[in-house]
Amino acid sequence: MSLVRYLLPLLLGLISIEAGAAQGFEALTATPNEAGGQTYSLSIQILLFMTALSLLPGALLMMTSFARIIIVLAILRQALGTQNTPSNQILVGLALFLTLFVMMPVFEEIYQVGLVPYMDEQVSAVDALQKAVVPVREFMIAQTRETDLELFARIGNFGEFESPDQVPFSVLLPAFATSELKTGFQIGFLLFLPFLVIDLVVASVLMSMGMMMLSPLIISLPFKIMLFVLIDGWALVFGTLASSFQV
């Protein structure tokens, strides 16, 4: 009896699905509008919106300044030798808020040229999306190296582009991601050097004193933290990261 109790609702559900498939789902419709295009039903719009939300984390990571910032902060923590301090959650939070600071002019322009006309029903959703992409595209073009663009254009057999407007997103996205990785590691390398010098000096002093069994990290860690605090390192790092993005 217990098996019948669980199977009966399942059978009834399958029957209702078959009946709906035979008659057609009226919620999934597209009707022509006066402008010559098509107006999709609310169900399709909700489906497209949820699909866009699932792609939002990837866009936040690879189409904004987040990747460069989190790379630099992770290398900085490694250079300090503080293991998991600051924690991953703190680093991600710092990178997220600094990304919002850097990208705020772009977000404001997206709001003005794309979202406001769409909310006022002056443009369609497709036109609003096309207008909103322009500020993001300009930001990505400004941060992308020409060599990276040429690399992916050559791989994709796109030829040469006469102007930045001709660069398709299929080329711009990987070129921008590659440029951000390069810049992030370059800044991280420059941050790593002074801490590496401190480690080498401490290790040499310990070797000359015959303290080969003592880990240099135990001695160098307080000096690195003290140096970083005295020069106001966090302000310098955040200021350098924020100013490294060309407008």
Side-chain angles (χ1 to χ4, degrees):
M1 294 298 294
S2 59
L3 182 61
V4 174
R5 183 177 60 184
Y6 290 112
L7 288 178
L8 184 58
L10 179 60
L11 292 175
L12 293 176
L14 291 175
I15 293 173
S16 61
I17 290 175
E18 292 180 357
Q23 298 176 359
F25 290 101
E26 297 182 357
L28 304 178
T29 58
T31 57
N33 53 27
E34 298 179 354
Q38 288 184 337
T39 301
Y40 297 98
S41 62
L42 182 60
S43 301
I44 297 180
Q45 295 182 20
I46 293 176
L47 178 61
L48 296 176
F49 179 72
M50 296 302 295
T51 303
L53 285 181
S54 64
L55 300 176
L56 185 60
L60 177 63
L61 291 177
M62 302 312 301
M63 296 177 62
T64 63
S65 58
F66 183 86
R68 182 191 305 187
I69 295 172
I70 194 63
I71 289 173
V72 173
L73 294 181
I75 294 177
L76 175 61
R77 183 178 65 179
Q78 185 71 23
L80 285 172
T82 53
Q83 302 299 325
N84 292 325
T85 303
S87 64
N88 292 331
Q89 291 83 355
I90 294 177
L91 288 185
V92 172
L94 290 173
L96 180 60
F97 287 116
L98 191 57
T99 299
L100 292 176
F101 173 78
V102 173
M103 300 296 297
M104 189 55 65
V106 179
F107 293 156
E108 290 180 352
E109 188 174 356
I110 291 174
Y111 177 78
Q112 294 296 332
V113 303
L115 187 58
V116 171
Y118 176 70
M119 295 176 63
D120 294 339
E121 298 182 354
Q122 297 177 358
V123 295
S124 63
V126 177
D127 294 336
L129 181 61
Q130 292 177 350
K131 292 182 178 180
V133 167
V134 174
V136 180
R137 181 187 181 88
E138 293 177 351
F139 171 81
M140 295 172 65
I141 286 288
Q143 317 306 320
T144 306
R145 293 177 171 85
E146 293 183 2
T147 55
D148 296 326
L149 285 175
E150 294 174 356
L151 170 64
F152 288 98
R154 184 174 65 255
I155 295 175
N157 297 322
F158 285 95
E160 296 182 358
F161 303 110
E162 297 181 357
S163 64
D165 296 335
Q166 296 180 353
V167 180
F169 254 101
S170 59
V171 175
L172 180 58
L173 286 175
F176 174 76
T178 305
S179 296
E180 287 297 286
L181 290 175
K182 288 181 180 179
T183 306
F185 276 96
Q186 288 175 354
I187 299 175
F189 171 75
L190 295 178
L191 288 175
F192 208 108
L193 282 181
F195 301 108
L196 179 61
V197 171
I198 295 177
D199 288 332
L200 292 175
V201 171
V202 172
S204 300
V205 172
L206 292 179
M207 287 288 292
S208 63
M209 296 176 63
M211 298 181 180
M212 293 178 292
M213 301 300 295
L214 181 62
S215 175
L217 182 61
I218 299 177
I219 307 300
S220 63
L221 180 58
F223 287 99
K224 290 190 289 187
I225 294 177
M226 180 182 65
L227 174 65
F228 192 71
V229 172
L230 289 178
I231 64 174
D232 198 7
W234 288 114
L236 290 176
V237 170
F238 290 157
T240 302
L241 284 173
S243 61
S244 66
F245 293 93
Q246 304 175 7
V247 179

